[in-house]
Amino acid sequence: SGQKNLSMTHWPSSLWKIFHDLIKPSPLLCSVAHFLPGKWVQQHHPIPLDLEQKLFGQHLATEVILKALTGFKNNRNPKKPLTLSLHGWAGTGKNFVSQIVAENLHPKGLKSNFVHLFVSTLHFPHEQKIKLYQEQLQKWIRGNVSACASSVFIFDEMDKLHPGIIDAIKPFLDYYEQVDGVSYCKAIFIFLSNAGGDLITKTALDFWRAGRKREDIQLKDLEPVLSVGVFNNKHSGLWRSGLIDRNLIDYFVPFLPLEYRHVKMCVRAEMRARGAAVDEDIVTRVAEEMTFFPKDEKIYSDKGCKTVQSRLDFH
Ligand SMILES: Nc1ncnc2c1ncn2[C@@H]1O[C@H](COP(=O)(O)OP(=O)(O)OP(=O)(O)O)[C@@H](O)[C@H]1O
């Protein structure tokens, strides 16, 4: 009947893929590490996160994610799945980091059967179908975690996600040893949103205007800002969902807006990824084509590094 429901709703092929993964789970390919009395046994060499090298201009996100993942992987007996909530302006690296984290656990990253990306507007577009989405999503999560305890679920556009969908995920995020015979404690849930991006930008700008270094911004400078603007804001999806009240989010990860120098770093990284030599003239040209705000100071790229790849095609 699950299959019938799916065909009725015309779900995109990526969700079909997940459904098929469910029918044919291959648990042997999944486990990242398993516990033998007294020690953890790695089943493949974990890819180093390398966030310091790969992720530009995000000292806070780098620090929090490294801490979160290290703690989680070293914990033999986690009491709940790891839940990360990534916040920030467009194109600042939230999807990029999620992929790095996923690859760290499952080398094929997004292509792995154990990594699932959901985009609110793409996968859950119709409000009147919320009940159906809820049932199917729960089935997928349950099936996939039964097949692979360390499954990774990424929810993009969290701020556009219907509260009903968040309600459907909530039981999996909680401190239960098992739900219907399945333990979710080794899974990872990553939520991405732009919520709070404006407030994070304001803090970064205040530092810049005061002549203070970006790298001196600390988590404690952002926590009060986010807590008022996002967590206690009745209009934010996160507040309505009750995820915060129940302390189901382990780490809030702020992404700072990217500056001109970071955009240049993205261009260079993209050139290297394409196997080309880094041409500084082109780097400068691409970076100068981006638009920067605020109007007077022009410090931050309004799309972060998002359009770098397509712009590079023109040079
Ligand atoms: N901080 C960064 N360091 C290195 N590369 C970056 C960074 N931010 C963005 N990029 C590059 O730009 C591309 C687009 O960024 P990404 O999709 O991660 O943005 P996002 O924060 O998820 O944006 P949105 O909120 O609009 O979804 C990435 O694939 C990556 O190549």
Side-chain angles (χ1 to χ4, degrees):
S1 67
Q3 187 153 6
K4 200 169 139 229
N5 281 343
L6 277 168
S7 60
M8 275 164 35
T9 54
H10 304 293
W11 280 43
S13 57
S14 53
L15 280 189
W16 274 107
K17 178 180 161 289
I18 296 170
F19 185 68
H20 285 287
D21 295 345
L22 259 183
I23 301 169
K24 275 190 162 180
S26 39
L28 286 177
L29 295 175
C30 148
S31 28
V32 174
H34 65 261
F35 183 60
L36 285 183
K39 63 174 182 185
W40 281 91
V41 180
Q42 288 300 141
Q43 291 198 327
H44 69 80
H45 298 292
I47 301 166
L49 268 179
D50 272 351
L51 282 184
E52 285 100 342
Q53 282 80 44
K54 291 185 192 158
L55 183 67
F56 309 133
Q58 302 296 3
H59 66 286
L60 292 173
T62 299
E63 177 193 318
V64 178
I65 288 176
L66 283 178
K67 189 172 132 201
L69 271 193
T70 314
F72 188 65
K73 284 165 107 179
N74 290 339
N75 183 354
R76 291 170 183 179
N77 197 9
K79 297 278 182 286
K80 69 184 278 308
L82 177 64
T83 48
L84 307 173
S85 191
L86 280 44
H87 296 262
W89 201 260
T92 51
K94 300 181 296 297
N95 272 285
F96 184 60
V97 162
S98 313
Q99 289 173 28
I100 297 176
V101 169
E103 276 164 21
N104 185 254
L105 292 157
H106 304 291
K108 285 201 216 153
L110 280 181
K111 294 201 187 94
S112 159
N113 286 343
F114 312 114
V115 177
H116 309 283
L117 172 67
F118 298 94
V119 182
S120 306
T121 47
L122 183 69
H123 294 125
F124 313 111
H126 305 298
E127 205 169 325
Q128 68 275 22
K129 289 188 179 152
I130 291 298
K131 251 192 113 49
L132 190 63
Y133 297 152
Q134 286 177 323
E135 278 167 28
Q136 292 177 335
L137 185 61
Q138 290 192 326
K139 242 189 242 173
W140 279 316
I141 294 178
R142 189 179 308 128
N144 280 290
V145 176
S146 317
C148 173
S150 60
S151 290
V152 177
F153 300 92
I154 303 167
F155 289 84
D156 195 4
E157 301 182 347
M158 189 66 179
D159 29 0
K160 298 192 187 105
L161 197 61
H162 190 282
I165 303 285
I166 306 182
D167 280 339
I169 329 172
K170 233 189 297 181
F172 304 117
L173 308 182
D174 219 325
Y175 291 83
Y176 301 122
E177 226 165 89
Q178 294 203 333
V179 183
D180 293 336
V182 179
S183 166
Y184 295 87
C185 298
K186 298 253 168 69
I188 298 190
F189 289 81
I190 306 178
F191 304 115
L192 318 184
S193 80
N194 295 126
D198 48 347
L199 300 165
I200 296 171
T201 297
K202 190 182 170 304
T203 304
L205 197 55
D206 288 345
F207 264 71
W208 190 90
R209 286 180 176 152
R212 299 172 71 187
K213 272 175 43 196
R214 171 188 182 95
E215 289 73 20
D216 291 342
I217 304 175
Q218 295 179 26
L219 277 178
K220 68 173 169 50
D221 297 313
L222 290 170
E223 270 156 10
V225 176
L226 282 180
S227 95
V228 174
V230 183
F231 312 146
N232 294 325
N233 178 347
K234 291 186 187 186
H235 302 291
S236 102
L238 276 167
W239 186 87
R240 275 181 293 160
S241 71
L243 284 186
I244 292 158
D245 290 354
R246 292 190 43 79
N247 289 318
L248 297 183
I249 303 287
D250 298 314
Y251 295 92
F252 290 97
V253 189
F255 282 70
L256 302 173
L258 295 179
E259 299 174 9
Y260 179 75
R261 60 185 163 132
H262 304 120
V263 174
K264 281 183 141 185
M265 292 162 99
C266 287
V267 185
R268 290 188 198 107
E270 183 60 24
M271 284 176 153
R272 280 190 211 103
R274 294 181 183 195
V278 171
D279 179 334
E280 284 300 326
D281 287 343
I282 297 181
V283 172
T284 306
R285 261 186 277 151
V286 173
E288 281 178 358
E289 278 175 17
M290 307 288 281
T291 39
F292 294 85
F293 69 96
K295 235 181 25 225
D296 300 329
E297 291 122 316
K298 296 198 172 28
I299 308 161
Y300 303 118
S301 164
D302 63 356
K303 294 188 187 65
C305 279
K306 212 162 188 178
T307 50
V308 161
Q309 297 188 356
S310 53
R311 277 163 201 270
L312 200 50
D313 295 336
F314 290 104
H315 290 276

